[in-house]
Amino acid sequence: MIKLLYKSLGKKNKLFANNFIIFLIKNNIINISFLPANFRNYISGEMVFNYKKTLKKDSRGFYYVYPQFKSSDLDHYYESLYWTQFRSDNQVSINQRDIEQYNLIIKNTGDFFMSKKRTFVNFGSGHGGVSFLFYYNGHNVINIDPDKNVFNSIDLDKNRWIKLSSINDLNSQIDFFYSSHSLEHVADIDDFLAILNKKLTKKKSTYLFFEVPDGDHEFNGGKSGKIMTPHTYYFTTKFFEKLSIENCYTQKEYRVIRYLGRYENDEIEIR
């Protein structure tokens, strides 16, 4: 029935088909367990991110999905569905993007990582990536990811680094906070920055690195008005310009924005 529905509606009406199937599931007309496994995971994601939602623009430099998400819904999605739906084939420990980011960070932080052993926090660590590079260069690494299946797939050495499922569990002093394609997945950006402010050590220089899809690019959602599951936020360079921390490096290239900033003492806020 599902295959016939998709064939009859065609690609242009895919959104209608998705919403119709979700309607049937939510009204107990069909059971989601009857769907093929891959399609079941896909529809589960659409039920969280796209069903009866729209994009709104914030003057502080980003677009966001409205109504906003409950943290519990996102937690369930990332704990159980995200890795299967989007990252099950991404088992490579280090890829080209990780090497590019590592070189960018080392180049733009002077002797920061050369002068002493640092604590590097990877928020939304996924396949590990740069965590391996900083670990093998002698630094302490803390990986944060809600999906425990991720850790099972990359942790051959169980004592390699500290593993946390939430930023709320972070109690160590941070020297470097790294987030690559994770910031666009948070439930509430203001809540996230408030938590990060509590975790950063006052009167201590801390670097922060973010890479996000460019919200102004036509294929990334955001400005185009399209919701790209599973993104909750669509950031532009204006957002990073408004962050109340020292800007060390900003790069807008192809479809992504890379930002490196340094935190000293003041609260991080969007001005």
Side-chain angles (χ1 to χ4, degrees):
M1 184 185 83
I2 300 300
K3 290 182 179 179
L4 288 174
L5 176 64
Y6 264 69
K7 284 183 179 180
S8 63
L9 290 173
K11 290 184 178 180
K12 290 185 178 179
N13 292 307
K14 186 177 179 181
L15 179 60
F16 173 78
N18 289 343
N19 286 338
F20 181 64
I21 293 168
I22 292 170
F23 172 82
L24 296 177
I25 293 169
K26 285 184 173 290
N27 287 276
N28 298 316
I29 299 171
I30 63 172
N31 193 311
I32 193 170
S33 63
F34 293 146
L35 300 178
N38 290 340
F39 189 69
R40 182 168 63 245
N41 290 335
Y42 169 75
I43 286 295
S44 296
E46 293 297 294
M47 288 174 69
V48 176
F49 291 94
N50 235 323
Y51 186 61
K52 292 187 177 180
K53 292 186 182 294
T54 187
L55 279 181
K56 287 197 173 185
K57 185 177 182 180
D58 192 294
S59 61
R60 295 175 295 171
F62 57 83
Y63 303 84
Y64 63 98
V65 179
Y66 181 86
Q68 288 181 281
F69 299 87
K70 294 179 181 178
S71 295
S72 57
D73 289 340
L74 290 183
D75 288 345
H76 173 71
Y77 175 77
Y78 287 109
E79 287 170 2
S80 59
L81 294 171
Y82 177 71
W83 190 257
T84 302
Q85 187 176 349
F86 288 95
R87 294 291 182 264
S88 59
D89 59 345
N90 189 0
Q91 300 295 329
V92 179
S93 298
I94 302 171
N95 59 37
Q96 183 62 38
R97 183 172 70 188
D98 301 323
I99 296 171
E100 290 176 2
Q101 292 176 346
Y102 176 81
N103 289 334
L104 184 156
I105 290 168
I106 296 300
K107 180 180 179 180
N108 289 279
T109 52
D111 66 348
F112 186 75
F113 284 103
M114 307 300 175
S115 58
K116 62 184 291 188
K117 191 172 187 176
R118 300 292 186 179
T119 297
F120 177 88
V121 175
N122 187 343
F123 174 71
S125 55
H127 66 282
V130 294
S131 291
F132 288 96
L133 297 172
F134 283 99
Y135 171 78
Y136 287 127
N137 279 282
H139 300 289
N140 298 320
V141 173
I142 301 173
N143 280 347
I144 302 175
D145 201 289
D147 192 341
K148 294 180 176 60
N149 293 323
V150 174
F151 297 134
N152 293 335
S153 68
I154 67 174
D155 278 1
L156 298 178
D157 177 1
K158 299 299 182 182
N159 298 316
R160 180 182 285 139
W161 41 48
I162 296 173
K163 302 177 287 290
L164 304 175
S165 60
S166 169
I167 189 175
N168 291 302
D169 301 327
L170 184 62
N171 293 315
S172 304
Q173 289 194 350
I174 305 170
D175 293 308
F176 197 101
F177 186 88
Y178 166 95
S179 169
S180 178
H181 293 270
S182 300
L183 194 64
E184 66 269 26
H185 296 271
V186 300
D188 186 295
I189 188 61
D190 293 304
D191 287 349
F192 171 80
L193 292 178
I195 294 170
L196 188 57
N197 275 318
K198 293 178 181 179
K199 301 300 179 180
L200 295 175
T201 307
K202 306 302 179 186
K203 299 181 180 179
K204 177 181 172 67
S205 182
T206 305
Y207 283 95
L208 299 99
F209 174 87
F210 299 102
E211 178 171 313
V212 297
D214 180 5
D216 280 332
H217 195 283
E218 59 180 328
F219 296 140
N220 283 348
K223 187 177 182 179
S224 70
K226 186 177 181 181
I227 297 174
M228 304 290 288
T229 301
H231 295 169
T232 55
Y233 282 88
Y234 303 79
F235 297 99
T236 69
T237 52
K238 182 180 178 181
F239 168 80
F240 295 102
E241 291 168 358
K242 285 181 166 290
L243 283 182
S244 59
I245 55 178
E246 179 186 349
N247 183 356
C248 300
Y249 180 91
T250 303
Q251 177 190 52
K252 182 175 179 178
E253 186 174 284
Y254 185 43
R255 293 173 60 175
V256 301
I257 299 169
R258 288 175 175 170
Y259 173 85
L260 177 67
R262 183 165 58 191
Y263 165 90
E264 291 289 348
N265 191 29
D266 295 332
E267 295 287 303
I268 299 176
E269 60 182 4
I270 315 168
R271 292 175 295 205

